Amino acid sequence: MTARVQTWHERVSWKSIALYACSFVVACYLLAPFLWLVLTSFMTEAEARSVPPHWIPERPTASNYAAFVNPSPELRMVGSRAIEETPRALLNSAVVSLSTALVNLFIATFAAYSFARLNFRGGRLLLMAYLASRMVPGIAIIIPFYILMRKLQLLDTYLALILSYSTFTLPFTIWMLKDYFRTIPRDLEDAARVDRCGWFGMMWRVFLPISAPGLIAAAVFAFMFSWNEFLFALFLTSTIQSKTIPIVVANFATDLDVQFTFMAAAGVLAVIPPLALALVFQRLIVQGLAAGSVKG
Amino acid sequence: MAEVHLEHVTKKFGSVVAVDDLCLTVHDGEFLTLVGPSGCGKSTTLRLIAGLERLSSGQIYFDGQPVGHLPANKRDIAMVFQSYALYPHMSVEENIGFALKMMGYPRDEIRRRVTEVASMLNIQHLLARRPRELSGGQRQRVALGRAIVRDAGAYLLDEPLSNLDAQLRVTMRGELKKLHADLQRTFIYVTHDQAEAMTMSDRVAVLNEGKVLQCAAPAEVYNRPANMFVAGFIGSPPMNFIPGEVQREAGMLVFRAEGIRQRLPLHVALAVDGTSVHDVVLGVRPEDIVVSHNPEEGTLTATVLVVEPMGADTFVTLTIGRIRCIARVTGEFRVGSQETLYIRFDEAKLHLFASDDGRALRAERAMVLNQQEADLA
Ligand SMILES: Nc1ncnc2c1ncn2[C@@H]1O[C@H](COP(=O)(O)OP(=O)(O)OP(=O)(O)O)[C@@H](O)[C@H]1O
Ligand SMILES: [Mg+2]
């Protein structure tokens, strides 16, 4: 390739300026509510309610966060004990979301491998059925789920949430992983077999390590879904034994009152885990690990 | 260590028959090459031997033991894949040592062997790299290393040199041959490259459409091809084919085509005599066309179309009437296009094929010798 001196207007074209401007507008639109949330969480309740509203806290305070760690007796009662319950709700969410992610990894890996590699009768039909099952809105099946969980005496347990979230996420993760597995060259499996691996050895030492980006993406998806889910958690949980963070955050807004600053602080806490996950894994997810293994 | 025997092996992918009732014996310690056009079933044959595809029918034996039911990891084979199939998440060193690790070799033994193989393949400076940081040729050498680092009963190599540059390929050809001589193991080698097939192998098996057309020593395949396909496939530039018919003139069998009359030599005539063969194809290798600037008794007149100097040799494309042939002459032979040349065919090296099924019409050597003795007597 020959090097060519570019003039500035060749490099900075109108097209790229327009593109940047658009990206900027979209970014503002997406980030503004989040920014408002973060800033409000550092305000006092009075400042948050002041009219006209403003963005930057005049006297920033971390007291909203401190309240979660050690709430004073009168704060305990705020928003049907929401402040008191926030730390435990975060824990519940973490347990439920991580478990759902693990259940997804385990089941979806086997299922997706079968769909990707084995040509079995009814395979396509089954895949379509999975997809169709996701077309049913949650609100339509919440009552059967509630009755089912009550019969199984699972109401207000982690298991009820993990089971129901897994049924929603698995169809997606199986599809995702099936497509990912299909991009992995078959020769790699064969090479491992020739190199004296049994099927499980091949999966463990070659196939799954190479699939890591796909597996992580699937796990992150299942985690995020479970972390954000509201409707089913509302029905299936009743006490802080199993209440997840979206339920508790919603409690800040009671019939009588809304606690904006605490709600914002709890919201920020609720956002941190998924945000951290996305930041940590985005490189891995995007990176094509399989590059360079086979020719062409 | 292993004699590999394929008995009526068939592999179908749906309606595609990739390997068709194939019978083949690869002797212990032999270097056998499979050649054939793209899609003829070479890779599938290797994969069947390796245990990576299930047989549709037939059986494969290693040293007389049927292995059709054994998965790849239970067969004593090492393989180089056409696509390299290097493990992307492992370094070159780990790639090469992987099988040894799986077989439970101690760590320093693995290291010793990997280093040895790496220096042989000239990749010792790459051991710490990942496959994606290697060039195509380097990847290919790693893939080769992964196979030869092991002691296996049979080594299956699927076009292991195809991506190397010409010079490295010649070097590696020599290395592989030496390796085979040292190891004395069974090598089954797939290639597109005729030079590789001819120089390296003890025997060459020519495949087409999933069938073995001929399996013999390289010289035999070249000099006595069993049919038109083999004759046309082996040799570069390919053999010239001239369709025509056999006629009997004054008690002598002759080949006739437009503008060509060629007496049939004994080894061909004996095979045709007394049969009803009429429509035939005459086969002449480019080097068996003798060219001259001057007409002589029995020469044909040809016009030069294209001259391609290759260095030591020159390829000359000629037309004899409407028939086109390629002749290989020495590099010193001076000729320009549109010139007229006088040619004749080297009779002893003529090939004749039946038009209907392409089989070679050639008498057994013993038969030819007997006849010659009878003529002398
Ligand atoms: N997994 C498969 N499914 C369906 N058809 C296949 C499969 N593998 C091979 N074939 C078909 O079988 C035939 C033989 O293929 P094979 O890969 O053995 O050819 P090859 O001789 O190795 O060709 P090449 O020189 O191009 O590597 C081809 O027609 C191919 O399309
Ligand atoms: Mg092939």
Side-chain angles (χ1 to χ4, degrees):
Chain A
M1 211 173 284
T2 54
R4 203 165 62 90
V5 181
Q6 294 180 319
T7 55
W8 72 269
H9 57 267
E10 265 180 322
R11 259 173 295 148
V12 189
S13 65
W14 285 112
K15 202 169 141 195
S16 65
I17 291 175
L19 211 63
Y20 274 109
C22 286
S23 325
F24 185 73
V25 171
V26 172
C28 288
Y29 179 74
L30 291 177
L31 288 178
F34 182 65
L35 188 66
W36 184 85
L37 180 81
V38 174
L39 292 172
T40 307
S41 75
F42 290 104
M43 290 179 188
T44 59
E45 191 66 25
E47 189 179 359
R49 286 163 185 271
S50 63
V51 182
H54 56 269
W55 283 75
I56 312 296
E58 273 155 10
R59 257 172 288 112
T61 166
S63 63
N64 296 323
Y65 292 95
F68 293 126
V69 185
N70 192 10
S72 58
E74 68 270 20
L75 279 180
R76 278 175 191 273
M77 301 309 292
V78 165
S80 0
R81 299 181 170 273
I83 290 189
E84 190 185 43
E85 290 180 350
T86 297
R88 174 63 196 260
L90 283 169
L91 177 73
N92 290 347
S93 273
V95 171
V96 168
S97 306
L98 275 176
S99 307
T100 307
L102 290 178
V103 167
N104 263 275
L105 278 186
F106 187 77
I107 297 180
T109 297
F110 285 101
Y113 184 88
S114 313
F115 284 116
R117 288 295 199 244
L118 314 174
N119 253 328
F120 55 93
R121 199 169 305 166
R124 286 177 60 90
L125 197 71
L126 209 53
L127 271 175
M128 286 304 151
Y130 289 176
L131 206 60
S133 79
R134 293 306 308 122
M135 302 300 162
V136 183
I139 194 82
I141 47 171
I142 184 78
I143 301 301
F145 253 86
Y146 181 81
I147 295 170
L148 185 70
M149 291 303 169
R150 199 178 58 189
K151 283 258 153 56
L152 294 172
Q153 303 207 320
L154 288 177
L155 283 183
D156 204 24
T157 62
Y158 289 157
L159 198 56
L161 294 177
I162 296 167
L163 283 178
S164 32
Y165 293 168
S166 295
T167 59
F168 299 134
T169 46
L170 271 171
F172 271 121
T173 49
I174 289 173
W175 268 83
M176 255 170 93
L177 283 181
K178 168 204 66 137
D179 288 334
Y180 196 85
F181 286 174
R182 280 192 182 154
T183 65
I184 293 178
R186 218 188 186 120
D187 275 356
L188 284 175
E189 284 176 55
D190 292 339
R193 297 308 299 274
V194 167
D195 280 350
R196 295 300 186 112
C197 289
W199 188 81
F200 281 101
M202 179 276 292
M203 285 303 272
W204 186 246
R205 290 171 188 280
V206 176
F207 196 84
L208 294 181
I210 296 170
S211 313
L215 296 174
I216 288 169
V220 167
F221 165 79
F223 183 94
M224 300 263 195
F225 176 92
S226 316
W227 187 271
N228 292 331
E229 206 285 332
F230 182 76
L231 185 63
F232 274 67
L234 190 63
F235 274 73
L236 299 177
T237 68
S238 47
T239 69
I240 193 60
Q241 287 304 312
S242 66
K243 268 194 208 169
T244 54
I245 190 73
I247 304 297
V248 169
V249 171
N251 277 352
F252 281 106
T254 62
D255 293 345
L256 303 173
D257 195 9
V258 182
Q259 297 286 330
F260 284 116
T261 53
F262 289 120
M263 200 175 184
V268 169
L269 292 180
V271 162
I272 287 172
L275 195 67
L277 266 184
L279 288 180
V280 169
F281 286 123
Q282 66 147 347
R283 286 265 314 280
L284 249 181
I285 294 168
V286 174
Q287 197 181 64
L289 236 178
S293 66
V294 295
K295 83 175 135 188
Chain B
M1 278 267 273
E3 179 198 77
V4 179
H5 177 60
L6 282 73
E7 204 169 87
H8 298 290
V9 165
T10 298
K11 177 66 191 177
K12 292 183 188 148
F13 294 106
S15 61
V16 180
V17 184
V19 176
D20 191 2
D21 197 33
L22 187 136
C23 297
L24 187 67
T25 304
V26 190
H27 304 300
D28 185 12
E30 186 178 30
F31 197 122
L32 181 109
T33 303
L34 302 177
V35 294
S38 190
C40 70
K42 305 182 294 291
S43 297
T44 307
T45 307
L46 277 201
R47 293 172 56 80
L48 285 166
I49 296 171
L52 297 170
E53 299 289 352
R54 204 171 295 201
L55 293 161
S56 297
S57 66
Q59 184 57 280
I60 295 176
Y61 300 87
F62 287 1
D63 283 333
Q65 299 296 316
V67 294
H69 58 289
L70 290 179
N73 54 323
K74 300 275 170 59
R75 299 189 188 184
D76 190 17
I77 40 114
M79 184 160 175
V80 179
F81 287 81
Q82 193 169 3
S83 66
Y84 318 143
L86 301 181
Y87 309 124
H89 58 303
M90 296 183 197
S91 68
V92 166
E93 179 166 7
E94 289 165 325
N95 260 284
I96 298 178
F98 184 69
L100 298 179
K101 190 169 143 195
M102 291 296 98
M103 290 158 86
Y105 279 74
R107 193 173 291 219
D108 38 336
E109 168 77 3
I110 296 178
R111 178 160 283 255
R112 192 183 60 73
R113 285 199 187 206
V114 169
T115 322
E116 200 176 288
V117 165
S119 66
M120 192 193 107
L121 296 170
N122 210 3
I123 47 174
Q124 58 279 62
H125 57 294
L126 305 173
L127 285 179
R129 292 210 200 158
R130 292 287 171 95
R132 67 169 162 277
E133 299 158 350
L134 301 177
S135 75
Q138 291 168 332
R139 285 178 201 172
Q140 200 148 40
R141 277 178 284 162
V142 176
L144 202 53
R146 202 167 57 175
I148 63 181
V149 76
R150 291 173 49 187
D151 290 314
Y155 294 81
L156 312 178
L157 302 99
D158 199 346
E159 310 201 15
L161 307 184
S162 59
N163 266 43
L164 304 184
D165 61 56
Q167 197 179 358
L168 193 56
R169 193 182 316 197
V170 173
T171 317
M172 288 303 305
R173 220 192 267 168
E175 287 289 350
L176 268 181
K177 212 171 163 175
K178 187 161 137 290
L179 185 84
H180 176 247
D182 291 346
L183 290 175
Q184 291 291 320
R185 296 292 163 78
T186 311
F187 273 49
I188 306 179
Y189 190 95
V190 167
T191 182
H192 265 118
D193 184 332
Q194 295 187 24
E196 267 170 39
M198 301 304 276
T199 54
M200 298 170 69
S201 343
D202 296 323
R203 281 192 304 157
V204 178
V206 184
L207 268 67
N208 190 32
E209 293 176 350
K211 287 184 169 38
V212 176
L213 298 183
Q214 187 172 15
C215 181
E220 175 85 3
V221 172
Y222 188 80
N223 294 323
R224 300 165 66 82
N227 53 49
M228 240 171 104
F229 182 86
V230 175
F233 188 77
I234 302 286
S236 169
M239 185 184 277
N240 299 297
F241 291 120
I242 307 168
E245 50 199 36
V246 176
Q247 287 175 357
R248 187 174 289 274
E249 290 177 7
M252 211 171 51
L253 285 172
V254 293
F255 168 85
R256 265 196 176 283
E258 193 188 296
I260 297 179
R261 180 178 171 281
Q262 171 67 48
R263 191 173 70 98
L264 289 184
L266 193 58
H267 68 275
V268 176
L270 281 176
V272 178
D273 207 8
T275 66
S276 59
V277 176
H278 181 71
D279 292 327
V280 292
V281 176
L282 187 73
V284 192
R285 293 234 178 255
E287 62 270 29
D288 299 334
I289 298 181
V290 184
V291 299
S292 151
H293 287 292
N294 309 310
E296 285 164 33
E297 159 97 40
T299 53
L300 301 164
T301 311
T303 311
V304 176
L305 271 187
V306 183
V307 180
E308 296 166 278
M310 306 296 290
D313 293 335
T314 300
F315 300 154
V316 184
T317 309
L318 307 156
T319 52
I320 310 158
R322 277 196 310 211
I323 297 157
R324 183 184 284 218
C325 325
I326 295 184
R328 184 205 290 262
V329 297
T330 66
E332 285 99 61
F333 190 83
R334 293 279 155 250
V335 65
S337 73
Q338 301 311 323
E339 273 181 47
T340 300
L341 284 179
Y342 301 92
I343 66 166
R344 81 187 156 74
F345 304 138
D346 183 347
E347 272 190 7
K349 295 191 178 158
L350 284 183
H351 305 262
L352 199 69
F353 305 96
S355 289
D356 47 2
D357 59 359
R359 71 180 185 282
L361 301 165
R362 181 186 298 107
E364 294 298 324
R365 264 186 214 133
M367 213 169 134
V368 178
L369 289 177
N370 282 341
Q371 185 64 41
Q372 280 168 342
E373 276 170 21
D375 288 351
L376 284 177

